[in-house]
Amino acid sequence: MRNDNLKSYLNLHLIVFIWGFTAILGALITIDAENLVWFRMLLAGIFLGGFIAFKKQSFQVPIKEFFKLIFVGLLIALHWIFFFKAIHVSNVSITLSIFSLGAFFASLLEPLFYGRKVLWYEVFFGLIIIAGLGLILQVEIKYLQGVYFALASIILGVLFTLMNGKLIADHEPSVITFYEFGAGVFFITIYFLFQGKFTADFFTMSLNNWVLLLILSSICTAYAFTASVKVMQRLTPYTVMLTTNLEPVYGIVLAYFILGGKEKMSVEFYIGAVIIIITVILNGVFKHYQNKKQNL
């Protein structure tokens, strides 16, 4: 059991690294956020559908669960739309630094979903993370619009992570994710039809955009998202959200070396980022110590 948990935890770090690279792809793909998410979920859904058929798994889910998956799919679509909007109006570093608030929001919302008490140290470390974020925003106020989009994105991300935590007990992660992506495509398609966006220009993109979209939808979405749902079968939603705090670390470092330019932030920004990283590490150490003490 311990080895299985360690394997899941290491796999989660790989997934989070991939998510950090997702932000880089979002900055490099030169189409609107809504269009990007539509293509991402459609292509990822096709990849997943092929995988499920190849594995000869059943697509069948109970009707009650189906409607829950539809709702979660809507949350995921909105989460990604706000995420890519945040990147486009600010940059990768600012957007991912806001994602460090995920564990704090999870520490407040998880007890409501799972009926456990709020742990004081989760809230305490979350408040330190907010302090680090405050230091960042003091010197990067010009990116405030991106901060708002990123905040909306991470709150929606916490909600669908918690809801998925309840849905994975009796279903294959790939099947759950397939229906969620299908729902996301459905809702965005309805919106696009009202907006009249489905024109020839909508499907006309550069080869570079198509290649990046294929990487985004296959490795960074179909694989990473399904694997993350599977990891949640062994790790708690709070642990998942806590480890996700390292997404800004991976993403900011990658952005600095790959994108350069406006990704090179002030000294105060990196001080705030270091505060957040140290807090994540301390929280993990403290949580391990508490669990070890309870098992004695």
Side-chain angles (χ1 to χ4, degrees):
M1 182 65 71
R2 181 176 296 178
N3 288 336
D4 288 341
N5 286 340
L6 177 61
K7 183 179 178 181
S8 296
Y9 190 67
L10 293 175
N11 193 29
L12 178 59
H13 274 279
L14 172 62
I15 294 164
V16 172
F17 180 83
I18 291 172
W19 283 341
F21 189 68
T22 296
I24 308 299
L25 293 176
L28 293 173
I29 297 172
T30 57
I31 59 177
D32 292 342
E34 297 92 342
N35 299 22
L36 195 162
V37 174
W38 188 84
F39 279 110
R40 180 185 189 180
M41 299 188 89
L42 176 65
L43 292 171
I46 292 171
F47 285 127
L48 281 173
F51 173 77
I52 294 168
F54 176 76
K55 299 288 283 187
K56 296 182 180 180
Q57 297 174 347
S58 173
F59 283 88
Q60 193 170 12
V61 295
I63 191 67
K64 183 179 178 181
E65 302 296 298
F66 177 77
F67 285 110
K68 291 179 182 177
L69 294 173
I70 295 296
F71 179 68
V72 174
L74 174 60
L75 293 181
I76 294 170
L78 292 173
H79 161 70
W80 280 340
I81 288 172
F82 284 127
F83 174 70
F84 290 117
K85 276 187 176 292
I87 290 174
H88 291 167
V89 301
S90 58
N91 61 23
V92 171
S93 299
I94 288 293
T95 302
L96 292 182
S97 67
I98 301 300
F99 269 51
S100 60
L101 288 170
F104 175 64
F105 288 131
S107 70
L108 298 179
L109 293 175
E110 187 180 336
L112 298 177
F113 277 75
Y114 291 89
R116 70 163 176 81
K117 65 180 182 178
V118 176
L119 300 177
W120 67 267
Y121 62 86
E122 291 181 355
V123 177
F124 173 73
F125 286 121
L127 292 173
I128 296 178
I129 288 172
I130 290 178
L133 185 61
L135 180 62
I136 291 171
L137 295 181
Q138 276 187 338
V139 292
E140 306 296 347
I141 195 68
K142 62 183 177 180
Y143 295 124
L144 193 58
Q145 186 182 12
V147 170
Y148 292 147
F149 281 130
L151 277 172
S153 178
I154 193 57
I155 291 171
L156 290 167
V158 170
L159 287 174
F160 84 69
T161 298
L162 291 171
M163 292 187 71
N164 263 348
K166 284 180 167 289
L167 290 169
I168 60 175
D170 303 312
H171 306 289
E172 281 292 325
S174 54
V175 176
I176 290 175
T177 310
F178 173 78
Y179 283 111
E180 289 172 347
F181 286 177
V185 172
F186 172 78
F187 286 116
I188 299 174
T189 298
I190 297 299
Y191 171 72
F192 281 175
L193 288 173
F194 278 105
Q195 295 290 314
K197 292 194 72 169
F198 287 123
T199 63
D201 290 338
F202 179 86
F203 297 97
T204 304
M205 290 187 291
S206 66
L207 177 62
N208 185 63
N209 275 342
W210 278 114
V211 171
L212 293 177
L213 273 171
L214 285 172
I215 296 172
L216 178 65
S217 58
S218 58
I219 298 173
C220 300
T221 307
Y223 165 73
F225 205 87
T226 303
S228 72
V229 175
K230 190 170 185 178
V231 161
M232 288 169 60
Q233 292 174 327
R234 293 198 173 275
L235 304 176
T236 67
Y238 179 76
T239 300
V240 172
M241 287 307 305
L242 178 67
T243 308
T244 303
N245 273 328
L246 292 175
E247 180 181 344
V249 180
Y250 299 140
I252 290 169
V253 171
L254 287 170
Y256 184 89
F257 288 104
I258 295 174
L259 301 177
K262 67 176 184 176
E263 295 296 336
K264 295 180 179 179
M265 311 297 286
S266 63
V267 173
E268 290 84 357
F269 173 88
Y270 293 109
I271 292 174
V274 168
I275 290 173
I276 291 169
I277 296 166
I278 292 174
T279 304
V280 170
I281 294 171
L282 287 175
N283 184 87
V285 172
F286 191 84
K287 197 175 187 69
H288 174 75
Y289 174 76
Q290 290 291 101
N291 291 337
K292 188 175 180 181
K293 189 165 66 172
Q294 290 175 3
N295 293 329
L296 290 177

